[in-house]
C-alpha cells in the first residue's frame, strides 16, 4: 500500500513537472497565454486544456525582491504581500538593503556573486556598470507592450524621457518609473506679513522687486522688534536667484556641500549641445549679485551651514524663527496653507504647520521665481522619473519572473483598488474608500512602518498620475494652483562611465567655488579660473562623452 | 593629610577644578540638549537657542519609541553580541598570547610574524564577505562575533604584558609540581587580570558600537543590532530622495522621537557604566606584580 502511494506521488510529481515545463514553453511562444501565473481563471483553460493534470495549480514563482525603497524589512505575512502572492501565484523572498547605505551594502553582495531577481536602481548611473558586470538583463519593448500595455502607453504619452533613462547600448534595462511631483517646480515662499510691514503690496516678481523686498527685510525691521536681526534669505532660496540668470548651477547647496554631485552637476542644453549648467557665464553674473547681497548683509551668514539646522530636510528653522523672509526648496504640499474641507483634522502641509506653530501671527505667500534681466526665471524641478526597477540575469533564466513583474506593473495602473492596496496597505485597516474619496486610516505611519506593512513594496514603484490625483485630489488641485510657476526641468542625461568617475571631484570644486565667491573670499573673477579648471579636470571629458551618447540615443 | 595649603596650592587646585568643570560641561551640555529635545514638542525643537531644560513637557516621543519593537529586539541582540563577542575575544586572545610570549615556543619569531602580518594586510570587505558566506555564518550572530574574534593589536598587547611577567614565578610553580594548564590559569591568569580587563573593555565598547557588519551580514530585522536601528531612525527624513520616489510627503519621525530613541538606548549603559568603571579601575590595580 505504502509503495503504491509513493509511486503515485512520484508519478503525479512527474506529471506536474511536465505540465510546468509545458506551461513555461507556452509562455514563450504564445504570449497571449502569459497569464499562467495568474489565478484569475483564464490561465488554466488556455494552457493546460489538453493535459492530464488540469486541476493541478502551478508552482508559485519565487521572486527575490529588492524592487522597493527599503526603509525596513517587509513583513512577508502582511496582508498586502499575501494578497499579491495569491493574485499572481508568486512567492516573495525579500531582500533588505539599508536605504541610507544602499550602494555600499548592495555592491558587496553583487561583487560576491549574489543577486536578487528584481532590483531597484537608485542611481541611474549604475545601469552602465551593472550591465557591464552582467547583472542586468534587457527587457524587450515588445514584452512591455504585450504584458503592460496600459503602463507602456502611459509612459509613452506622458514621460517619454523615462525610456531614455533606462536605455543602455540601445536596449531597455529596467522598468521606467515616474514621479508626478517632478512636474511641479519647487516653491517660492515669502513672509506675507513682513511684506506688509515694509510696505510692499505685491509679492515680488522681478529681480529688482526681489532686491527691494530683501533689502527692506534687512533694514526696515520687518518683525517690528526694534532690532536689526532679520535677513532676506538663506541657502534655500539661492537656486531661485541663480535661476533668474539661467539654469541654476547648484540646485541644493546643502546636499551639494554634503557631496551629492547630482545637485551641482546638472546639464542644460545650449545650441543643441549638453553643457554643465554650473560653469555657464550667466552664473558668474548671478554670483556677482549674490556676493553683493552677502556683503550688504542680505544673505544670512549662516547659510553656509544651511537654514535647515535640524530635522526633516524641508524644514527651515531660519524661516520658522523669523530670521529670514524668503525660502523655498520644498514642494507645494510641504507648505500647503489651505486646508482640505473634506478632512476635519487637516492641518495643512507639514512645514506650514511648523511655521504656524512657531509664528502664530505669521502669514506666508506663495511667490514666483525671480525674473532676471534677460527675462529668465525658474526654480529647480525634481526629476520626473524615479528609480527604475530592473530584472537581473538570474531572474531572466525563468521567463515567468519577468512576466509576473510586468503583470504586477499593469495591475497597478488598471486596478485602482489594487493600486491602493500595494501603496497604502490593507483595505479597511489602513485605508478605505468613502464613495470616491480615499480615506487614509494610517497616515501617521513612518516610511519604515509602511514598508513593514508591505506598503510601497510590491508596487514596482509605479506612480500612476491618474490614480495619484484620484487619491489626493485636493492636494494636486492645490499644486496646480500655487506651483504653477516657471521651473528648470531636470535634464535627462544618458549614463556614461566617465561621469561617475569625475563627479565627486567636480562637485567639490563647484560648491567650494560658489561658496567662496558668495562670501567674498574669492573675487567674482575667480569664476573664470574655476571654469577653466573644471573643464580641465574632467568637465570636457564628461561633456564630450555625454553628448556622444546623447546624439546616439536621439539617433543623430 | 595636608591640613594647611599655601596660596600656590590653592591656586593650583582652583585651576584644576576649573578645567574639570569645563570638561564636565562640554560633555553634559550636549547630553542635556538631547534629553530636553526628547521631551519637547516640535515647536520648541524648531526654535533657536540652547535647549538645556525642557520648558514644555511632551512625552509623545517616548510613547512612540517605547512602542517600537525593533528597538527592543535590537537591544537584546546588542547585549548578546557584546557578551558573547567579548567572551570569545578574551578567551582566544588570552590563549593565543600566552604561547607567543614564551621563548621556548618553537619558531616563535615566525608565528609572531605570521600573526602580525594580518594586522597590515587584510583581505578586504568582499573576500571577508565571501568567507563569512562560505562558512554559512550569514544572518547569524556568529557573523558578528567570529570575524572580529581576535584583534592582533590586542593580542600583541597581552603578549607583551605576559612577557614582562617574571619567568621565576613560573619556574617556582613548576618546582612545586604544577603542570602547564595549572600555571596558565592559576599563576598567569590572575597576574594578567589588568590587561584582560583592558582588552575586555575595548572589545565590549567596540561591539556595543558596531553596526556596519550587522548591516552587511544580517538580513533579518529581528537580528539587527541596536546601533543600526538607531542610525536608521536618526537619519530618517534628512534626504530629499525619499520623496522623489514616494508619491507624497511621508510621515518621518520628528526630532523628538529621534532623541527619545537615543536616550532610551543610551540610558541603561549610562546607568551601568559608573559601576563597571569601578571594576575597570580596580582591575588595573589588583594583581599587579609588586616589588
Amino acid at each position: 500500500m505504502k509503495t503504491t502511494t509513493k509511486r503515485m506521488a512520484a508519478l503525479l510529481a512527474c506529471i506536474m513537472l511536465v505540465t510546468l515545463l509545458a506551461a513555461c514553453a507556452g509562455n514563450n511562444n504564445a504570449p497571449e497565454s502569459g497569464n499562467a501565473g495568474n489565478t484569475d481563471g483564464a490561465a488554466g483553460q488556455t494552457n493546460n486544456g489538453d493535459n492530464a493534470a488540469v486541476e493541478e495549480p502551478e508552482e508559485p514563482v519565487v521572486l527575490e525582491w529588492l524592487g522597493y525603497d527599503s526603509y525596513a524589512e517587509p513583513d512577508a505575512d502582511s496582508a498586502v504581500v499575501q494578497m499579491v502572492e495569491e493574485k499572481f501565484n508568486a512567492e516573495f523572498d525579500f531582500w533588505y538593503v539599508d536605504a541610507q547605505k544602499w550602494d555600499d551594502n548592495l555592491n558587496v553582495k553583487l561583487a560576491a556573486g549574489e543577486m536578487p531577481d528584481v532590483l531597484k536602481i537608485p542611481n541611474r548611473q549604475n545601469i552602465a556598470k551593472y550591465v557591464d558586470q552582467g547583472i542586468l538583463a534587457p527587457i524587450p519593448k515588445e514584452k512591455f507592450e504585450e504584458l503592460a500595455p496600459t503602463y507602456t502607453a502611459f509612459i509613452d504619452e506622458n514621460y517619454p524621457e523615462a525610456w531614455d533613462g533606462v536605455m543602455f547600448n540601445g536596449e531597455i534595462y529596467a522598468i521606467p518609473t515616474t514621479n508626478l511631483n517632478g512636474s511641479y517646480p519647487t516653491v517660492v515662499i515669502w513672509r506675507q506679513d513682513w511684506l506688509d510691514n515694509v510696505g510692499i503690496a505685491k509679492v515680488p516678481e522681478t529681480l529688482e522687486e526681489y532686491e527691494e523686498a530683501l533689502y527692506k527685510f534687512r533694514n526696515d525691521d520687518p518683525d517690528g522688534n526694534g532690532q536689526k536681526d532679520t535677513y532676506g534669505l538663506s541657502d534655500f532660496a539661492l537656486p531661485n536667484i541663480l535661476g533668474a540668470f539661467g539654469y541654476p548651477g547648484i540646485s541644493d547647496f546643502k546636499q551639494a556641500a554634503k557631496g551629492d554631485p547630482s545637485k551641482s552637476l546638472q546639464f542644460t542644453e545650449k545650441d543643441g549641445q549638453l553643457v554643465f549648467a554650473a560653469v555657464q557665464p550667466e552664473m558668474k553674473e548671478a554670483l556677482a549679485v549674490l556676493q553683493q547681497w552677502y556683503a550688504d548683509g542680505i544673505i544670512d551668514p549662516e547659510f553656509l551651514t544651511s537654514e535647515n539646522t535640524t530635522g526633516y530636510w524641508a524644514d527651515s528653522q531660519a524661516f520658522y524663527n523669523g530670521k529670514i523672509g524668503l525660502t523655498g526648496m520644498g514642494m507645494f504640499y510641504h507648505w500647503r496653507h489651505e486646508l482640505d474641507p473634506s478632512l476635519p483634522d487637516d492641518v495643512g502641509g507639514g512645514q506650514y504647520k511648523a511655521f504656524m506653530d512657531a509664528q502664530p501671527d505669521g502669514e506666508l505667500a506663495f511667490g514666483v521665481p525671480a525674473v532676471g534681466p534677460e527675462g529668465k526665471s525658474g526654480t529647480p524641478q525634481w526629476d520626473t522619473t524615479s528609480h527604475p526597477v530592473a530584472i537581473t540575469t538570474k531572474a531572466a533564466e525563468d521567463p515567468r519572473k519577468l512576466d509576473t513583474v510586468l503583470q504586477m506593473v499593469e495591475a497597478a495602473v488598471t486596478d485602482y483598488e489594487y493600486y491602493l492596496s500595494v501603496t497604502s496597505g490593507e483595505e479597511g485597516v489602513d485605508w478605505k474608500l468613502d464613495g470616491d474619496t480615499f480615506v487614509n486610516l494610517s497616515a501617521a505611519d513612518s516610511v519604515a512602518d509602511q514598508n513593514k506593512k508591505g506598503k510601497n513594496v510590491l508596487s514596482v514603484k509605479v506612480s500612476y498620475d491618474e490614480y495619484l490625483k484620484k487619491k489626493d485630489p485636493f492636494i494636486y488641485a492645490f499644486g496646480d494652483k500655487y506651483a504653477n510657476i516657471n521651473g528648470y526641468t531636470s535634464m535627462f542625461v544618458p549614463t556614461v562611465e566617465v561621469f561617475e568617475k569625475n563627479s565627486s571631484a567636480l562637485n567639490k570644486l563647484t560648491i567650494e567655488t560658489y561658496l567662496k565667491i558668495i562670501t567674498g573670499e574669492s573675487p567674482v573673477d575667480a569664476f573664470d579660473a574655476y571654469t577653466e579648471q573644471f573643464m580641465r579636470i574632467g568637465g570636457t571629458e564628461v561633456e564630450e562623452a555625454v553628448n556622444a551618447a546623447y546624439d546616439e540615443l536621439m539617433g543623430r | 593629610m595636608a591640613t594647611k595649603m599655601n596660596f600656590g596650592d590653592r591656586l593650583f587646585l582652583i585651576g584644576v577644578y576649573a578645567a574639570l568643570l569645563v570638561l564636565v560641561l562640554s560633555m553634559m551640555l550636549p547630553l542635556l540638549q538631547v534629553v530636553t529635545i526628547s521631551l519637547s514638542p516640535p515647536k520648541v525643537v524648531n526654535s533657536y537657542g540652547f535647549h538645556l531644560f525642557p520648558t514644555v513637557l511632551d512625552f509623545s516621543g517616548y510613547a512612540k519609541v517605547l512602542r517600537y519593537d525593533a528597538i527592543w529586539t535590537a537591544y537584546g541582540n546588542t547585549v548578546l553580541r557584546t557578551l558573547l563577542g567579548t567572551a570569545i575575544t578574551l578567551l582566544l586572545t588570552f590563549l593565543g598570547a600566552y604561547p607567543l610570549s614564551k621563548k621556548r615556543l618553537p619558531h616563535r619569531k615566525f608565528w609572531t610574524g605570521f600573526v602580525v602580518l594580518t594586522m597590515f594586510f587584510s583581505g578586504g570587505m568582499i573576500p571577508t564577505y565571501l568567507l563569512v558566506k562560505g562558512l554559512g555564518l550569514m544572518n547569524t550572530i556568529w557573523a558578528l562575533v567570529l570575524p572580529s574574534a581576535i584583534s592582533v593589536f590586542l593580542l600583541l598587547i597581552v603578549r607583551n604584558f605576559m612577557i614582562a611577567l617574571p619567568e621565576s614565578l613560573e619556574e617556582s610553580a613548576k618546582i612545586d609540581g604544577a603542570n602547564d594548564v595549572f600555571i596558565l590559569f592559576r599563576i598567569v591568569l590572575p597576574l594578567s587580570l589588568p590587561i584582560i580587563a583592558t582588552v575586555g573593555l575595548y572589545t565590549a565598547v567596540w561591539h556595543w558600537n558596531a553596526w556596519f557588519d550587522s548591516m552587511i551580514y544580517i538580513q533579518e530585522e529581528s537580528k539587527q543590532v541596536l546601533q543600526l536601528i538607531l542610525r536608521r531612525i536618526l537619519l530618517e527624513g534628512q534626504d530629499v530622495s525619499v520623496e522623489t520616489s514616494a508619491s507624497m510627503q511621508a510621515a518621518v519621525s520628528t526630532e523628538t522621537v529621534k532623541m527619545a530613541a537615543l536616550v532610551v538606548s543610551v540610558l541603561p549603559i549610562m546607568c551601568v557604566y559608573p559601576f563597571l568603571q569601578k571594576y575597570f579601575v580596580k582591575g588595573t590595580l589588583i594583581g599587579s606584580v609588586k616589588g
Side-chain angles (χ1 to χ4, degrees), chain A residues 184-352:
Chain A
Y184 296 92
T186 47
V187 291
V188 178
I189 301 292
W190 289 92
R191 277 293 292 264
Q192 178 65 52
D193 51 330
W194 281 18
L195 287 173
D196 294 341
N197 290 350
V198 297
I200 292 174
K202 187 180 74 135
V203 175
E205 284 169 14
T206 66
L207 193 62
E208 289 90 58
E209 288 167 355
Y210 260 67
E211 198 165 86
E212 187 197 348
L214 295 173
Y215 272 76
K216 284 188 172 169
F217 282 175
R218 174 67 177 149
N219 300 321
D220 291 5
D221 192 25
D223 56 357
N225 69 352
Q227 282 167 2
K228 193 174 177 178
D229 57 356
T230 52
Y231 297 89
L233 70 167
S234 187
D235 63 314
F236 278 10
L238 292 179
N240 171 3
I241 308 300
L242 296 178
F245 293 86
Y247 197 104
I250 293 180
S251 59
D252 181 339
F253 279 74
K254 183 178 185 183
Q255 293 301 328
K258 273 167 112 182
D260 181 352
S262 67
K263 306 296 181 207
S264 67
L265 300 181
Q266 299 247 346
F267 284 87
T268 180
E269 199 166 354
K270 265 195 182 175
D271 309 324
Q273 288 281 305
L274 292 176
V275 290
F276 277 113
V279 291
Q280 298 311 306
E282 55 266 28
M283 284 303 107
K284 188 180 171 185
E285 300 168 42
L287 286 172
V289 170
L290 290 176
Q291 191 184 59
Q292 186 59 45
W293 286 8
Y294 185 85
D296 291 339
I298 304 310
I299 300 176
D300 177 5
E302 284 179 22
F303 86 98
L304 288 169
T305 51
S306 183
E307 60 190 87
N308 166 253
T309 47
T310 177
Y312 185 66
W313 64 267
D315 278 327
S316 167
Q317 277 75 21
F319 192 78
Y320 299 158
N321 287 290
K323 199 175 178 197
I324 56 171
L326 171 67
T327 186
M329 195 67 85
M331 292 297 291
F332 59 91
Y333 54 78
H334 292 126
W335 293 96
R336 179 169 58 87
H337 62 336
E338 282 177 7
L339 306 186
D340 186 347
S342 71
L343 297 175
D345 49 359
D346 188 21
V347 291
Q351 279 50 53
Y352 169 70

Side-chain angles (χ1 to χ4, degrees), chain A residues 73 114 312 317 321 333, chain B residues 46 129 221 232 243 245 255:
Chain A
E73 192 191 12
E114 289 177 50
Y312 185 66
Q317 277 75 21
N321 287 290
Y333 54 78
Chain B
N46 277 327
Y129 179 87
E221 190 169 272
R232 197 189 297 157
E243 269 161 76
S245 41
E255 290 300 290

Side-chain angles (χ1 to χ4, degrees), chain A residues 290-291 294-295 301 303-304 514-522:
Chain A
L290 290 176
Q291 191 184 59
Y294 185 85
F303 86 98
L304 288 169
Y514 272 55
L515 292 180
K516 275 185 181 164
I517 293 181
I518 294 174
T519 54
E521 198 180 311
S522 302

Side-chain angles (χ1 to χ4, degrees), chain A residues 147-164:
Chain A
L147 292 167
T150 318
Y151 190 68
T152 311
F154 161 67
I155 301 276
D156 281 342
E157 274 166 39
N158 302 292
Y159 300 93
E161 73 276 12
W163 292 113
D164 302 340

